[in-house]
Amino acid sequence: MKLLTLFALLASAAAFTVSPMAAKQSASSTSLSSRRSFLTSGAAALATFAAASPALAIRDYEGLGYLGGGTQVDINNANVRSYLKMPGMYPTVAGKVVSNGPYSSVGDVMNIPGLSAREKDVLKKYESRFVALKPSADYVIDRINNGLYR
């Protein structure tokens, strides 16, 4: 895409340069030639931008329902605020869960270093509501802060 943009810029710039041959021609033929080259380069730039391929972004994440909007929570991708609906989880236990991921299975959350007996009881209480999907870079980056910057 960057290469196509560079090509379009060079083609547009070429329309405004005067070739040595054009300088020797008469004024009327020079203006006709420059108009023709300008329109040609403009058409090339337009064709370049019209034929640009769309971005292949994932717009519909399959695990979207597990990011806190449903009854189950994805422990690998959900952010810390997803645990607000589970009394006893937020903020301490939820912070430990999102900070120590990714997990290969739901049972791995019990192996978080530094968990107290009370925190393990809270995790055990909600273990049936957890799922461990493959970590997605789009969601892992904001697991702790959730994009809320003050």
Side-chain angles (χ1 to χ4, degrees):
M1 185 67 183
K2 290 180 183 180
L3 187 61
L4 291 175
T5 306
L6 180 63
F7 175 73
L9 279 169
L10 290 175
S12 297
F16 296 103
T17 59
V18 178
S19 66
M21 185 177 285
K24 294 179 182 177
Q25 294 176 347
S26 67
S28 63
S29 65
T30 302
S31 65
L32 179 64
S33 173
S34 66
R35 263 191 233 137
R36 184 177 302 136
S37 66
F38 175 73
L39 291 175
T40 303
S41 65
L46 182 63
T48 300
F49 288 114
S53 63
L56 300 175
I58 299 172
R59 292 178 30 192
D60 297 321
Y61 174 61
E62 296 83 22
L64 193 62
Y66 300 112
L67 296 179
T71 58
Q72 291 190 310
V73 175
D74 178 12
I75 58 175
N76 285 328
N77 295 307
N79 61 56
V80 71
R81 295 179 59 88
S82 300
Y83 299 94
L84 279 169
K85 298 176 184 176
M86 301 175 199
M89 286 286 295
Y90 185 82
T92 308
V93 181
K96 289 181 179 181
V97 170
V98 299
S99 298
N100 289 291
Y103 306 99
S104 57
S105 69
V106 173
D108 288 349
V109 295
M110 295 301 177
N111 300 328
I112 295 174
L115 280 179
S116 67
R118 184 195 151 284
E119 292 170 339
K120 286 185 180 184
D121 290 341
V122 170
L123 282 173
K124 188 64 96 173
K125 177 181 176 182
Y126 296 112
E127 191 173 18
S128 64
R129 293 181 60 182
F130 298 150
V131 294
L133 300 178
K134 181 181 174 190
S136 172
D138 297 334
Y139 298 103
V140 170
I141 195 167
D142 277 339
R143 286 177 49 201
I144 297 171
N145 201 358
N146 192 23
L148 300 175
Y149 306 102
R150 293 182 184 200

